[in-house]
Amino acid sequence: MARYVVNRLAQAIMLLVIVSAIGFALLHLAPGGPLSQFAASAQMTQEDLDRVTKQLGLDRPLPIQYLDWFGRMLKGDWGKSYRDGEAVLSVISSHLGATLELMATATIIAVLLGCWIGILGALRRYSLFDSLATVGAMIALSIPTFWFGLVTIYLFSIKLGWLPAGNRQTIGDGSFLDLLHHLIAPSMVLALVETAMWGRFMRSSMLEVINQDYIRTARAKGMPEWRILTVHALRNALLPMITVAGLQFPTLLGGALVAETVFTWPGMGRLFLDSIGYRDYPVVMGILMFSATMVLIGSLLADILYAVVDPRIRVG
């Protein structure tokens, strides 16, 4: 088991280095470059640009810049924002709570609703419910998140006035009920695609399990159906979902970026887009590395947990 964990950890670290190198190169080679925001100022002279270039170390070869940035990042120095000079880690941490709040709520909704739909669809295969669930999942997977968000705002905020159109809280309020009221719309929009994916995966996993020989044997012994489903079928059907949970994290991050933009939610997704528009490259790289690290950690934990419950994985 220890050898399996070490191998997966080494692969994750290598992948993280590759992601950081590619991201750093793409940002610095993009049109405009890191100096574009400074050059846009009418008061900035060529001498000022040269001074800023030297201060930021942008006059050095790109590989040297990357190695210097990567070394400082490992020591906890992720640089400072071009916008206000604040430390990148402080900027990210100030927006992280809002994103985690949105993602956690959407995940809980998607897991509970998706697993229920998947289990019921497997037990009532080819029924009207199963057919409607299949069609609904295909529609949900086909609808762009931003479009569904705009429709939600139009219907429930503008027309009906039930939900706020955006932001995390009402100015001057900040109560728990107010926070919950603002959280409903973006979390439901973010959970839409996740619910469809969890439902389809759970249906397939449950169908595979209930057709196994040990399920038929349990029925032949006269075991109650509820006990067969809960103790034997459901427990084994949930095992592949551990891996699915790890693989869903990148989708959640991408969906959060869109949902936060549509609902002006003050999370990391909104910060990422604002930083790109401002050409605040230290913050953009910080968010990229933080997101990549979280994705790899999620995938690594899912693999380790799956190896714990299924010894065949770590033996192989």
Side-chain angles (χ1 to χ4, degrees):
M1 182 64 183
R3 182 179 179 182
Y4 175 80
V5 173
V6 171
N7 289 336
R8 290 292 293 112
L9 184 60
Q11 294 173 10
I13 293 175
M14 185 181 301
L15 185 58
L16 190 62
V17 173
I18 294 174
V19 169
S20 67
I22 295 176
F24 190 89
L26 289 177
L27 281 179
H28 284 73
L29 294 177
L35 290 175
S36 59
Q37 191 63 33
F38 299 99
S41 176
Q43 290 79 23
M44 187 71 67
T45 64
Q46 185 59 46
E47 290 75 12
D48 294 332
L49 284 176
D50 293 339
R51 185 177 65 256
V52 172
T53 301
K54 189 170 184 178
Q55 289 176 349
L56 298 178
L58 300 176
D59 56 337
R60 297 173 298 172
L62 190 60
I64 301 300
Q65 294 182 44
Y66 168 74
L67 292 176
D68 177 64
W69 168 82
F70 193 78
R72 287 186 287 107
M73 185 195 67
L74 293 178
K75 297 177 183 178
D77 180 10
W78 289 34
K80 296 184 180 298
S81 170
Y82 290 165
R83 187 182 308 189
D84 51 20
E86 189 176 355
V88 170
L89 284 178
S90 297
V91 175
I92 293 177
S93 62
S94 64
H95 293 77
L96 179 60
T99 296
L100 292 180
E101 177 185 316
L102 179 60
M103 291 177 59
T105 306
T107 300
I108 293 174
I109 295 173
V111 171
L112 294 179
L113 187 58
C115 287
W116 176 77
I117 293 175
I119 293 172
L120 198 58
L123 297 179
R124 300 180 180 179
R125 192 178 183 184
Y126 302 136
S127 65
L128 178 61
F129 176 85
D130 187 32
S131 300
L132 292 176
T134 302
V135 173
M138 294 301 103
I139 295 175
L141 293 172
S142 303
I143 295 178
T145 303
F146 75 89
W147 184 87
F148 186 64
L150 293 175
V151 171
T152 300
I153 292 175
Y154 178 76
L155 290 178
F156 296 99
S157 300
I158 298 177
K159 287 295 185 180
L160 300 177
W162 292 352
L163 300 173
N167 296 319
R168 192 183 183 191
Q169 63 185 35
T170 303
I171 298 177
D173 192 336
S175 63
F176 175 76
L177 291 179
D178 181 66
L179 292 173
L180 186 62
H181 194 210
H182 283 77
L183 183 61
I184 294 175
S187 61
M188 291 300 295
V189 170
L190 183 58
L192 176 67
V193 175
E194 300 300 315
T195 300
M197 296 182 69
W198 276 93
R200 302 318 295 164
F201 280 121
M202 191 66 209
R203 179 183 182 276
S204 299
S205 181
M206 195 69 176
L207 281 175
E208 183 178 354
V209 169
I210 61 178
N211 290 322
Q212 296 295 322
D213 291 338
Y214 64 86
I215 298 295
R216 287 191 287 268
T217 301
R219 288 197 177 101
K221 290 182 177 180
M223 184 177 293
E225 189 67 19
W226 67 267
R227 184 174 177 83
I228 294 175
L229 295 177
T230 56
V231 177
H232 296 285
L234 184 59
R235 180 182 298 179
N236 289 282
L238 288 174
L239 290 180
M241 308 307 290
I242 297 174
T243 304
V244 173
L247 297 177
Q248 291 292 83
F249 196 78
T251 307
L252 266 176
L253 278 177
L257 188 150
V258 178
E260 289 177 3
T261 301
V262 173
F263 291 95
T264 59
W265 189 265
M268 288 179 57
R270 183 66 184 270
L271 174 65
F272 184 76
L273 289 181
D274 290 345
S275 299
I276 290 179
Y278 194 81
R279 300 300 178 95
D280 196 351
Y281 286 7
V283 175
V284 173
M285 277 303 302
I287 296 176
L288 175 64
M289 291 305 299
F290 185 85
S291 302
T293 302
M294 291 298 99
V295 169
L296 290 176
I297 289 177
S299 177
L300 180 63
L301 290 178
D303 288 345
I304 293 175
L305 184 58
Y306 199 82
V308 170
V309 298
D310 191 347
R312 296 172 298 177
I313 302 296
R314 59 178 182 265
V315 171

